[in-house]
């Protein structure tokens, strides 16, 4: 493989594997919405979305309308939901491209209905109920009114009802069970009044892997597809790591005892040793907090990061590794042949969570995709994006009529098996 200063190797076969684990856990008939926000947690949203659709994933969740439009421009035609919400400026383009939006207030419902009317379309919304996350979402006591407002507007379509679990330990935390009870109560009231429609979805990765019940109609995993589970939850061993951050030795020198390395001279050689310099720094995803703490893999061995991590460079002590040379590949996390530098360990050393590490892999780090050439998983019908009856991504999309949306439901439900 061609070497760059720094590159993130992304193993699409590992994604295929992780998605099959996710689908098995979700159970047959449950729709899987793969979350690809923040550029697919740093993995490259366009490539990941295309691959996921090939693997039969039914829909995609993003963080912003710009992310949704990037996918549409790249030809992704699967349903896309802006999970949180849009800001006013983003609303029109979101609707024009048939992107679904999380909804949590009457004001926003009115605004979207007006805008959809002007654009002669319908806004497909997922009503987000705040059952304890305290961030977005309508409080349960105001939810019924919002259900009614959606029902009453010819320009709003209730495509789903969702809530978000706050605990990173999913069903292992009582708070998650309480959130589900509140969600159930609110759904019950809406159902009684005939206001319920669309897909019901709750589970992120932690909820899915701790079997939070009920599963509802759809699940929204993100991090598990990338091979990681938060907080050492059970089931992590079934998943395969996807991203490996690599760089190469650009320079090394032998330093005598007493020599200092890096900004603020936070590291001093206690004996003569060899220091190698890597052209990768905190702008590339090597956390500043790994200075004098982290380790990397070189020639199959661990080497400690010494001194501060700087913006463009990182220094490692390779005094104990014979024959290190310029051009040697260095693995900052992920796989190196049959060795591995676990992302979870790197995150722990950096006092953060794995999500932040992959998301902070900078834009000058080349993403190199490997694998993914195999055909879609066995027993997968063609993904919805290949059905000719669906709207073209390049054209402004009309709302899907009853027939079209039925077909979409069929396809995406099939695809979730
Ligand atoms: C990010 C996000 C998810 C996915 O969470 P993971 O922990 O990565 O599985 C699901 N739902 C919502 C609303 C999110 O914002």
């Amino acid at each position: 493989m061609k070497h760059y200063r720094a590159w993130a190797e992304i193993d699409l076969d590992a994604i295929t594997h992780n998605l099959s684990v996710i689908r098995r856990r979700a159970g047959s008939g449950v729709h899987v919405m793969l979350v690809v926000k923040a550029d697919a947690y740093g993995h490259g949203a366009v490539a990941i979305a295309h691959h996921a659709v090939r693997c039969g994933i039914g829909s995609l969740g993003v963080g912003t309308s710009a992310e949704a439009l990037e996918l549409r421009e790249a030809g992704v035609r699967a349903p896309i939901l802006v999970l949180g919400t849009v800001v006013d400026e983003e609303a029109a383009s979101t609707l024009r491209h048939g992107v679904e939006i999380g909804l949590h207030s009457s004001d926003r419902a009115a605004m979207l209905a007006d805008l959809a009317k002007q654009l002669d379309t319908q806004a497909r919304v997922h009503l987000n109920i705040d059952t304890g996350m305290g961030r977005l979402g309508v409080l349960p006591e105001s939810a019924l009114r919002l259900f009614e407002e959606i029902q009453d507007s010819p320009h709003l379509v209730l495509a789903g009802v969702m809530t978000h679990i706050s605990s990173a330990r999913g069903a292992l935390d009582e708070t998650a069970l309480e959130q589900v009870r509140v969600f159930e109560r609110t759904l019950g009231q809406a159902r009684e009044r005939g206001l319920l429609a669309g897909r019901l979805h709750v589970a992120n990765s932690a909820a899915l892997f701790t079997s939070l019940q009920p599963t509802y109609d759809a699940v929204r995993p993100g991090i598990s597809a990338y091979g990681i589970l938060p907080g050492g939850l059970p089931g992590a061993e079934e998943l395969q790591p996807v991203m490996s951050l690599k760089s190469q030795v650009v320079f090394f020198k032998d330093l005598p005892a007493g020599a200092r390395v890096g900004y603020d001279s936070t590291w001093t050689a206690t004996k003569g040793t060899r220091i190698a310099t890597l052209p990768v720094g905190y702008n590339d995803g090597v956390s500043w907090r790994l200075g004098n703490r982290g380790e990397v893999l070189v020639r199959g061995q661990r080497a400690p990061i010494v001194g501060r991590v700087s913006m463009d460079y990182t220094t490692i002590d390779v005094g104990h590794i014979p024959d290190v040379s310029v051009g040697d590949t260095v693995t900052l996390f992920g796989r190196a042949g049959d060795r591995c530098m676990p992302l979870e360990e790197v995150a722990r050393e950096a006092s953060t969570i794995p999500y932040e590490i992959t998301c902070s892999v900078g834009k000058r780090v080349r993403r190199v995709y490997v694998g993914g050439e195999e055909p879609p998983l066995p027993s997968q019908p063609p993904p919805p994006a290949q059905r000719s009856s669906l709207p073209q991504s390049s054209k402004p999309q009309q709302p899907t009529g009853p027939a079209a949306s039925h077909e979409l439901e069929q396809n995406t439900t099939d695809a979730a098996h």
Side-chain angles (χ1 to χ4, degrees):
M1 186 211 300
K2 212 166 141 209
H3 287 199
Y4 304 94
R5 290 173 73 95
W7 68 103
E9 211 172 274
I10 311 236
D11 183 349
L12 294 177
D13 291 337
I15 297 243
T16 306
H17 169 85
N18 296 339
L19 290 176
S20 72
V21 171
I22 286 168
R23 279 214 305 260
R24 206 164 52 238
R25 287 214 164 242
S28 71
V30 174
H31 177 99
V32 177
M33 174 192 299
L34 177 65
V35 177
V36 294
K37 65 192 179 195
D39 205 22
Y41 298 35
H43 294 67
V46 168
I48 299 297
H50 278 305
H51 183 68
V53 168
R54 267 174 37 108
C55 290
I57 288 304
S59 66
L60 301 157
V62 297
T64 71
S65 70
E67 291 178 342
L69 300 198
E70 182 192 13
L71 296 180
R72 284 283 185 256
E73 268 154 33
V76 173
R77 280 174 276 167
I80 302 176
L81 169 64
V82 178
L83 289 161
T85 188
V86 296
V87 296
D88 288 356
E89 292 66 27
E90 300 175 308
S93 59
T94 314
L95 294 187
R96 265 193 220 105
H97 287 82
V99 172
E100 304 177 353
I101 303 176
L103 181 70
H104 52 98
S105 76
S106 296
D107 286 355
R108 184 43 64 87
M111 181 266 194
L112 288 175
D114 275 355
L115 193 59
K117 186 174 176 193
Q118 279 171 39
L119 296 171
D120 192 22
T121 185
Q122 286 177 311
R124 292 175 61 81
V125 296
H126 292 237
L127 205 168
N128 182 354
I129 299 170
D130 180 10
T131 57
M133 180 70 180
R135 187 177 63 175
L136 297 169
V138 62
L139 287 171
E141 50 271 31
S142 312
L144 276 190
R145 213 181 70 214
L146 200 46
F147 271 110
E148 280 162 1
E149 287 164 2
I150 297 168
Q151 168 124 331
D152 291 346
S153 168
H155 295 284
L156 297 176
V157 175
L158 186 59
V161 186
M162 63 187 282
T163 192
H164 196 39
I165 300 294
S166 70
S167 171
R169 296 175 43 74
L172 302 184
D173 256 338
E174 172 57 27
T175 57
L177 309 183
E178 174 58 20
Q179 284 191 262
V180 169
R181 283 193 287 273
V182 173
F183 191 57
E184 280 289 292
R185 237 181 351 256
T186 314
L187 293 180
Q189 294 162 356
R191 195 178 284 118
E192 262 170 37
R193 293 165 177 75
L195 297 169
L196 217 48
R199 286 204 175 89
L200 309 178
H201 47 100
V202 173
N204 59 4
S205 298
L208 181 63
F209 279 76
T210 55
S211 305
L212 183 67
Q213 294 301 321
T215 308
Y216 297 106
D217 304 329
V219 294
R220 308 187 304 262
I223 195 84
S224 51
Y226 310 111
I228 310 152
L229 276 183
L233 289 179
E237 65 291 342
E238 293 174 69
L239 300 171
Q240 295 176 1
V242 173
M243 185 193 284
S244 303
L245 181 62
K246 313 252 179 179
S247 183
Q248 59 172 309
V249 174
V250 279
F251 180 65
F252 65 84
K253 65 185 151 202
D254 293 323
L255 290 180
R260 295 182 300 265
V261 172
Y263 283 116
D264 292 335
S265 302
T266 58
W267 189 85
T268 304
T270 51
K271 58 180 181 357
T273 192
R274 177 166 289 181
I275 298 296
T277 300
L278 316 175
V280 65
Y282 57 76
N283 181 60
D284 306 297
V286 185
S287 171
W288 182 85
R289 292 178 299 266
L290 291 173
N292 295 315
R293 287 188 66 87
E295 291 185 334
V296 303
L297 286 173
V298 199
R299 293 193 169 233
Q301 293 195 52
R302 284 175 176 249
I305 295 175
V306 294
R308 292 240 199 274
V309 172
S310 49
M311 194 182 287
D312 304 335
Y313 290 98
T314 297
T315 35
I316 58 175
D317 183 348
V318 292
H320 59 297
I321 306 174
D323 304 327
V324 166
S325 22
V326 167
D328 277 358
T329 296
V330 176
T331 302
L332 294 117
F333 62 78
R335 282 188 171 154
D338 55 359
R339 301 290 314 274
C340 185
M341 176 62 68
L343 176 56
E344 290 82 349
E345 176 187 330
V346 173
R348 202 164 46 242
E349 289 302 326
S351 318
T352 183
I353 50 176
Y355 297 75
E356 190 186 35
I357 302 272
T358 64
C359 283
S360 61
V361 170
K363 63 174 185 282
R364 64 187 180 180
V365 174
R366 176 70 70 106
R367 270 64 173 174
V368 177
Y369 296 92
V370 298
E373 290 94 14
E374 289 149 49
L377 296 175
S379 83
Q380 291 300 300
Q386 287 171 13
R387 305 268 169 109
S388 55
S389 61
L390 290 176
Q392 297 294 313
S393 65
S394 50
K395 290 189 219 138
Q397 295 197 348
Q398 293 305 311
T400 40
S405 83
H406 175 72
E407 188 186 328
L408 201 63
E409 296 275 320
Q410 277 307 125
N411 291 345
T412 50
T413 307
D414 288 347
H417 281 281

